[in-house]
Amino acid sequence: MEKIFINGGARLYGDIRIDGMKNAALPIIFASILTGDKCVIENLPPVKDVSTALDILRSMGASVRMLNKTTAEIDTAHVAAGISPYDLVNRMRASTYLIGAELGRFGWAKVGMPGGCDFGVRPIDQHIKGFEALGAEIFIENGYINARCPSRLTGSSIYFDISSVGATCNIMIAASVAEGTTVIDNAAREPHIVDLANFLNTCGADITGAGTNMIKIRGVKKLHGCEYAIIPDMIEAGTYMAAVASAGGRLNIRNIIPKHIESISAKFLEMGVSITEYDDYITVSSNGRLNRVNIKTLPYPGFPTDMQPQVAALLCTAEGISTITEGVCDNRFRYLEDLRRMGANVSADGRTATIIGVERLSGAPVRSVDLRAGAAMIIAGLAASGTTIIEGIESTLDRGYYDIVGKLRQVGADIKRVQVSDTDAIRMVN
Ligand code: EPZ
């Protein structure tokens, strides 16, 4: 088992380069199944979820060749439906995109029920509503989601009760090769929705309106392979903004699209963090003392739910009382218990957390209960007095952050990753 050890108090100075966006890479990797051709995808983040997605494709008959650490050549000519391994599919919720891809290409799909971060109920009723509107029959049996459409999928008008990122991606994938036109109303507007639409259009699809709440998809008969580069990860960028806001110092956060992080920047400015914006990077500086704020997470362009744990960790030592209302996920406050171990004065009542700022947190052994909670523990540990030890990182943090320990150590953090055997003997890993 590996753990992260952080001795708090070091300020951060230097440059951080942001990787490609995990949540854009995953739908694009699965959508490549539609082409039955060769796609070269660049700027893939070298994280576990991407490796899992590529392994799922390999197990379905795709040939996947890594041209370098961040570029994959994927040939899906010999992919078959219905054979994705249950244990791999179960590792992440993004596996649901296999349904849209298999249904679009083969007219049927059989995919294990999705897994992924455990924060509350994460149904897929909007996905099912969309597939049924396109003419598919869906039934769940023995832990598998089965879908079939005897003839070709037929374009339709679909209204989402929730602006679901996953359902918007899934229906865009399936509808891109349906007979006729599909209109998705109340669609999600995240940058990774636009990235998926751009990828599909580069493969010959005809999608307009992505990034707005009304997306029109004119079905085409066939898609072809392409070369495509994934957008930078706005949540990774926001995470390093939170790191320097917590520890103090000054970071240049490079290879980003500033427009994608507008709502994050606005809140950090309100907290008293200094931000200077350039074409493809920002400079973020802080003395570590922050103003209290109120935050409500919302679908894009609102403040992203995937930044909620990170900003909560920050506000634990802000001046005054802050609140965070979780407007997207059901129950995303499990990590508060670990912040309390560090001396935070935090509590949650339903979807609202109240955070009463304290002078300083103290290092403690904590868990990474999910991907973004792990990042939150690092952010808290960077400023805490003493040592913070984080466990559970391989099955959470590593899913979505590439070398977060190395990137932070390069800019001055006193952080390391160690292998801890059952006898608690430790060996430095990096
Ligand atoms: C994506 O999850 C992201 N994952 C999540 O990021 C992110 O938190 C979420 O979007 C919101 O931005 C990936 O892209 C792989 P949703 P997804 O469908 O697609 C409810 C991370 O940390 N809902 O917009 O599951 C659902 O329960 C991960 O990188 C339904 O009720 O998000 C949830 O409460 C964690 N019925 C809310 O909507 C549905 O059919 C948002 O879900 C679908 C969703």
Side-chain angles (χ1 to χ4, degrees):
M1 165 172 58
E2 294 187 5
K3 294 185 178 182
I4 289 175
F5 285 66
I6 308 170
N7 294 317
R11 290 185 175 254
L12 307 181
Y13 294 93
D15 293 70
I16 296 262
R17 189 186 184 286
I18 299 302
D19 289 303
M21 182 166 199
K22 165 182 85 80
N23 291 348
L26 295 173
I28 285 170
I29 288 170
F30 288 123
S32 70
I33 291 172
L34 289 173
T35 68
D37 200 353
K38 202 175 275 187
C39 293
V40 175
I41 314 289
E42 298 170 0
N43 202 34
L44 287 168
V47 296
K48 269 191 180 172
D49 274 9
V50 167
S51 315
T52 300
L54 295 175
D55 287 344
I56 289 172
L57 254 58
R58 287 188 181 98
S59 66
M60 295 170 69
S63 80
V64 178
R65 197 157 62 93
M66 294 309 291
L67 306 185
N68 58 47
K69 190 162 56 176
T70 59
T71 305
E73 180 190 75
I74 305 171
D75 186 341
T76 58
H78 303 295
V79 160
I83 57 171
S84 55
Y86 198 90
D87 62 320
L88 291 185
V89 163
N90 189 251
R91 287 185 194 167
M92 55 187 190
R93 183 166 165 96
S95 306
T96 44
Y97 300 139
L98 279 168
I99 308 167
E102 291 186 14
L103 202 47
R105 174 158 171 202
F106 302 104
W108 70 281
K110 179 182 177 188
V111 181
M113 289 291 279
C117 291
D118 173 17
F119 32 78
V121 179
R122 300 176 78 188
I124 56 167
D125 57 304
Q126 300 300 301
H127 300 240
I128 292 170
K129 174 180 181 179
F131 289 133
E132 287 176 340
L134 296 175
E137 179 200 351
I138 310 282
F139 60 99
I140 293 173
E141 192 176 57
N142 305 117
Y144 284 86
I145 303 162
N146 296 270
R148 56 175 176 233
C149 185
S151 57
R152 196 171 160 207
L153 293 172
T154 309
S156 171
S157 288
I158 300 161
Y159 176 83
F160 281 147
D161 308 321
I162 291 170
S163 298
S164 158
V165 168
T168 302
C169 287
N170 232 339
I171 299 313
M172 235 182 358
I173 289 169
S176 62
V177 288
E179 177 78 44
T181 297
T182 296
V183 175
I184 303 175
D185 194 356
N186 198 25
R189 300 165 53 189
E190 275 71 2
H192 31 307
I193 302 283
V194 177
D195 214 25
L196 173 61
N198 289 342
F199 167 77
L200 289 168
N201 285 339
T202 309
C203 294
D206 182 354
I207 300 172
T208 53
T212 74
N213 61 5
M214 183 83 73
I215 301 177
K216 182 175 281 188
I217 304 128
R218 293 178 185 80
V220 297
K221 276 207 181 324
K222 186 85 179 70
L223 296 182
H224 53 73
C226 74
E227 293 195 9
Y228 193 78
I230 304 290
I231 56 171
D233 194 323
M234 57 189 259
I235 302 300
E236 187 192 13
T239 301
Y240 287 106
M241 292 168 73
V244 66
S246 173
R250 177 191 175 90
L251 287 183
N252 300 314
I253 300 175
R254 298 188 180 279
N255 185 40
I256 66 165
I257 299 172
K259 175 158 182 50
H260 290 171
I261 59 168
E262 269 176 357
S263 65
I264 301 171
S265 298
K267 268 304 160 186
F268 278 52
L269 289 168
E270 196 184 330
M271 287 184 221
V273 176
S274 302
I275 300 174
T276 310
E277 192 180 291
Y278 302 90
D279 285 350
D280 64 349
Y281 76 98
I282 54 173
T283 298
V284 184
S285 58
S286 163
N287 61 11
R289 289 304 292 167
L290 302 171
N291 310 321
R292 50 128 341 256
V293 291
N294 294 326
I295 292 175
K296 176 164 187 178
T297 69
L298 288 168
Y300 193 84
F303 190 89
T305 178
D306 290 349
M307 277 296 299
Q308 187 252 85
Q310 298 93 307
V311 78
L314 264 188
L315 293 172
C316 289
T317 54
E319 309 262 0
I321 300 174
S322 303
T323 61
I324 298 180
T325 301
E326 175 50 59
V328 176
C329 298
D330 270 342
N331 167 22
R332 198 168 188 170
F333 290 125
R334 284 176 58 209
Y335 64 90
L336 293 181
E337 186 186 329
D338 293 281
L339 288 177
R340 281 194 284 269
R341 284 174 185 277
M342 298 176 73
N345 186 346
V346 295
S347 60
D349 176 11
R351 285 200 175 204
T352 298
T354 301
I355 304 168
I356 301 170
V358 297
E359 187 61 30
R360 194 174 187 194
L361 296 181
S362 56
V366 292
R367 300 160 305 159
S368 170
V369 291
D370 63 54
L371 166 55
R372 307 302 174 184
M377 296 306 126
I378 290 177
I379 287 158
L382 287 171
S385 60
T387 303
T388 299
I389 303 169
I390 308 171
E391 67 172 29
I393 56 179
E394 296 104 316
S395 59
T396 56
L397 209 56
D398 291 349
R399 290 186 48 203
Y401 290 98
Y402 173 64
D403 194 19
I404 189 168
V405 169
K407 288 185 178 183
L408 285 171
R409 208 167 55 238
Q410 265 179 353
V411 293
D414 182 352
I415 183 170
K416 60 187 177 188
R417 181 173 180 139
V418 298
Q419 180 80 37
V420 180
S421 67
D422 297 347
T423 57
D424 255 355
I426 67 173
R427 176 178 60 78
M428 180 79 166
V429 170
N430 72 356

